[in-house]
Structures are given as C-alpha cells and as structure tokens.
Amino acid sequence: FDPKVIEQYQLEYPNSTVTDIIYKYLESAILSSKIEPGQRLNAANIAEMLDVSVTPVRAAIKQLASVGLLSENENGKNYCAFNISEKMLTEVFDARRMLEGSAAYICAHRHADAGMREEMDELRRLAEIHRTLWQNFYDGDTSLFNRRQRVDIDRAFHNLLVHFTDNQYLINYYDNLDKLATHALVRALEFWENEKERANMRV
C-alpha cells in the first residue's frame, strides 16, 4: 500500500471523497490480484500504511463487500479478497460472449451500411498487438509487463468493440461486467503462466 498512489488518485479525481479514493485504490488492487484472493484486509493497518484515517478505509471496505469484491466472515469483523469461482468464471465469459457477439453483429452492420474504416483499423491494430504479445509469451517472455499488456490490450479491444455500437444500453451492461471480466482475465493469465506445456498454451 503506497500513500503516493492515493495522492495520484486525488489529483485524478479532485471531487472525490477520501472514501471514494480508497475504494478505487483497493478495487484496482483486488481486480489486478495485487491483493491476492483470500487475503485478509485489516482497516487499521491499511489506514496506517496509506497515512489516512481508519474511518474512510472501513467505509470503502464495506462498499467493496457490498458489491462482492470482499467476502465477510460470520461476525462481520474480517474481510477477505474474493476469489473468482469456476462458476463465476463461466458465467462471466458466458455474459461476455453474449454481449460481445451482439456488439460484433451491430458493428458489422454499421460497417456495411455507413462505413467504419477508422474504427475497424483501430480494432485490427489492437488485435495484431494482442497476437504479438501472445507470440512473445509463447516464445518465452513471461514478464509482468507482457502479462499486463495482454490484459490491457484485451480490455481495450473489447471495450472499443462495444462502444463502437453506439448503443448506450449495451454499453451500460458491458461497463458493469468489465471489472469482473478483467479480474477473471488476470486470474486466467496467472493460471496459463503456470501451464508447463507450451504447445497447449499456444492452442
């Protein structure tokens, strides 16, 4: 936990409360697995490390629990980072397949009817970067930078695909799913990087 990151968030979101800032910070750490699944969060310790009052930390932790990113024990005093289950992973990717498939269908019609040359060029560019990153991984680049780039490019491609539909209802549904989908992707990449059979990985 780095107090300098809190300062950066405050500059980026000047109208947000301290609780909102800490929420964003912890949410990002959970979804990126910097806070590992099952890891217990102690509000007092976090407040001390971030050099803030414990009250907004507790409030942020309760908010994270309310949206399912933290699990609460029976007495409600301890919270742990959630670990995405096989069922949740399956449901997230099912939802993505439905929404992204619809987005691709809409974009294809828009491209045929009105032309989306610039949008299509950007999607192709991101797809090629993604392919190159995976090839580099297959060739032995298991760096943290490569993993983060694969996550970021994957997110950028699919977010653009959905936003290019210009359908606000579809965009809203997808934005709600995006955070969980990102966490699922991070966890999947961690799993894949432990896969010893490179031929399986390439497939």
Side-chain angles (χ1 to χ4, degrees):
F1 296 102
D2 186 354
K4 291 181 180 178
V5 177
I6 295 295
E7 294 174 8
Q8 292 171 2
Y9 271 81
Q10 288 172 326
L11 290 172
E12 189 173 350
Y13 306 101
N15 298 321
S16 296
T17 66
V18 176
T19 297
D20 293 337
I21 296 295
I22 294 171
Y23 178 96
K24 291 177 187 295
Y25 179 84
L26 295 178
E27 177 190 57
S28 175
I30 292 167
L31 293 175
S32 65
S33 289
K34 289 177 183 176
I35 296 176
E36 296 181 358
Q39 182 177 335
R40 197 173 87 174
L41 274 70
N42 182 291
N45 289 344
I46 293 171
E48 183 178 351
M49 286 185 281
L50 294 179
D51 195 24
V52 297
S53 166
V54 72
T55 301
V57 176
R58 285 179 178 147
I61 285 174
K62 284 196 172 291
Q63 289 180 24
L64 289 163
S66 72
V67 297
L69 291 181
L70 294 177
S71 55
E72 182 179 358
N73 68 358
E74 291 180 2
N75 61 22
K77 293 182 179 179
N78 295 319
Y79 294 88
C80 297
F82 90 119
N83 190 8
I84 194 162
S85 65
E86 183 178 345
K87 179 176 184 292
M88 186 185 293
L89 187 67
T90 300
E91 289 177 351
V92 165
F93 280 103
D94 281 345
R96 283 188 65 182
R97 183 169 66 247
M98 296 293 291
L99 290 175
E100 292 164 4
S102 296
Y105 178 84
I106 292 169
C107 284
H109 276 272
R110 286 190 63 205
H111 176 60
D113 295 340
M116 293 175 58
R117 181 179 298 275
E118 291 182 9
E119 291 91 337
M120 293 299 295
D121 286 346
E122 179 61 11
L123 289 173
R124 287 192 187 94
R125 185 185 74 83
L126 291 171
E128 285 305 316
I129 293 172
H130 194 250
R131 183 191 302 275
T132 299
L133 288 166
W134 270 105
Q135 184 63 52
N136 291 344
F137 171 70
Y138 176 76
D139 291 338
D141 181 0
T142 57
S143 65
L144 181 61
F145 177 78
N146 179 282
R147 184 200 302 174
R148 287 179 175 169
Q149 285 290 98
R150 279 181 283 146
V151 172
D152 290 345
I153 294 297
D154 187 283
R155 282 190 73 191
F157 178 91
H158 292 98
N159 270 288
L160 281 179
L161 179 66
V162 172
H163 281 75
F164 285 160
T165 66
D166 204 27
N167 182 316
Q168 197 57 51
Y169 298 102
L170 188 59
I171 292 169
N172 289 342
Y173 279 122
Y174 193 81
D175 286 347
N176 289 332
L177 179 67
D178 180 52
K179 291 174 183 176
L180 275 179
T182 300
H183 182 73
L185 181 59
V186 169
R187 303 292 289 139
L189 290 181
E190 290 172 354
F191 170 80
W192 286 329
E193 287 180 15
N194 290 320
E195 171 60 57
K196 303 303 181 185
E197 298 295 330
R198 286 300 197 191
N200 292 342
M201 191 67 265
R202 183 166 191 171
V203 172

